[in-house]
Amino acid sequence: MVVYDFKNVVKLKKLKNSEKVLPKHAEKISDISNGLFKEFKYSSYKDTPPYPNESIRTLQELIKMVGANPNEDFIYSMDRITESFEKLCSELEIPFDETKIEEILEEASGVILDLKYHFNRPRPLMVAELYGLDLEENELHIDTKDSPSFPSGHATQGTLIANYLANKHPNHSIRLKKLARDIGKSRVIAKVHYPSDIVVGERLGNDMFQHLKENNLL
């Protein structure tokens, strides 16, 4: 039974993921000004907030997630972005520059974290509990709870890396971008992200790639 009364709505409106920015995250955010994305314009993302906790859209997303059957093999195989792309590149017999990939992922994390803390959207598990919904915890809930939910870092970084590799190997674009979509999808199946986190994360990843390409930073 979904709990949705005045007292509950008040709690939902006040609910945030984090009380403060963790020092390790603050350091990455401060490093934006010295990295690949120092000139990246993403202020428009700060003007587009996620659905409120107490909104029908958020509740609808949660209800769909409750009914989803988690595929644990799929979830954990998609969790490590670098390893996922390295494996696919091996299958496709194309070069994989791990050093460059890790650099891009690390540089992107500052922008992602800046947006996450700007909105401080609580993870689905936190909101589901107030609604009386059971999302069935797994170890990924523990791994992700120290950062806010919106946008999805995995969706952003997966999309960014897929574009980076597809730009170098256009004949394999379909397979590379499918992997990125699977990485985003896995986060919803794991119930650590709302579908709307993924949508915005994918858009952000595309924009970040365009920034690198247009500024000859690839």
Side-chain angles (χ1 to χ4, degrees):
M1 179 180 175
V2 175
V3 178
Y4 195 79
D5 54 27
F6 176 76
K7 184 183 296 186
N8 201 41
V9 169
V10 171
K11 290 180 180 178
L12 286 164
K13 286 184 175 181
K14 292 181 178 180
L15 185 65
K16 302 294 183 182
N17 190 84
S18 309
E19 293 298 322
K20 60 182 179 180
V21 180
L22 295 180
K24 63 180 181 180
H25 293 161
E27 183 178 355
K28 289 186 177 183
I29 293 170
S30 67
D31 284 343
I32 295 172
S33 60
N34 301 315
L36 293 172
F37 297 99
K38 61 183 178 181
E39 302 295 336
F40 178 55
K41 308 300 182 185
Y42 61 98
S43 59
S44 62
Y45 281 91
K46 292 187 175 182
D47 296 329
T48 310
Y51 301 125
N53 301 331
E54 71 279 9
S55 69
I56 295 300
R57 292 296 296 269
T58 294
L59 178 57
Q60 289 173 334
E61 288 190 318
L62 287 170
I63 289 173
K64 287 182 180 179
M65 292 164 70
V66 169
N69 183 26
N71 181 332
E72 292 197 357
D73 290 339
F74 178 68
I75 289 170
Y76 293 111
S77 68
M78 295 291 110
D79 186 45
R80 299 187 181 279
I81 296 171
T82 301
E83 291 178 10
S84 296
F85 279 103
E86 185 174 19
K87 180 181 178 182
L88 178 57
C89 287
S90 177
E91 291 175 7
L92 298 174
E93 298 182 341
I94 57 178
F96 183 81
D97 187 343
E98 183 175 353
T99 301
K100 184 62 175 180
I101 297 298
E102 289 291 344
E103 178 193 8
I104 294 173
L105 290 174
E106 181 66 19
E107 297 275 0
S109 65
V111 172
I112 296 165
L113 287 166
D114 189 28
L115 289 171
K116 281 178 175 287
Y117 282 103
H118 177 75
F119 295 113
N120 209 357
R121 188 183 199 185
R123 293 280 177 168
L125 185 66
M126 298 173 67
V127 179
E129 287 175 352
L130 285 182
Y131 277 115
L133 299 171
D134 183 9
L135 285 189
E136 302 171 13
E137 284 191 70
N138 57 55
E139 63 185 71
L140 287 184
H141 285 107
I142 298 172
D143 294 340
T144 60
K145 69 179 181 180
D146 66 346
S147 68
S149 192
F150 182 90
S152 165
H154 272 68
T156 303
Q157 292 176 315
T159 302
L160 174 57
I161 296 305
N163 276 305
Y164 170 78
L165 291 169
N167 183 64
K168 291 182 174 297
H169 310 286
N171 290 342
H172 300 291
S173 176
I174 292 175
R175 289 284 303 278
L176 291 163
K177 292 182 179 182
K178 180 183 183 303
L179 175 55
R181 290 192 298 273
D182 283 345
I183 288 171
K185 180 181 177 182
S186 74
R187 306 305 280 178
V188 177
I189 294 175
K191 304 177 182 181
V192 296
H193 274 293
Y194 305 88
S196 51
D197 296 340
I198 308 303
V199 171
V200 175
E202 290 175 342
R203 188 166 76 242
L204 178 62
N206 284 324
D207 286 347
M208 294 179 87
F209 168 73
Q210 287 302 317
H211 167 79
L212 295 180
K213 186 175 181 179
E214 290 169 5
N215 290 277
N216 299 312
L217 296 171
L218 296 174

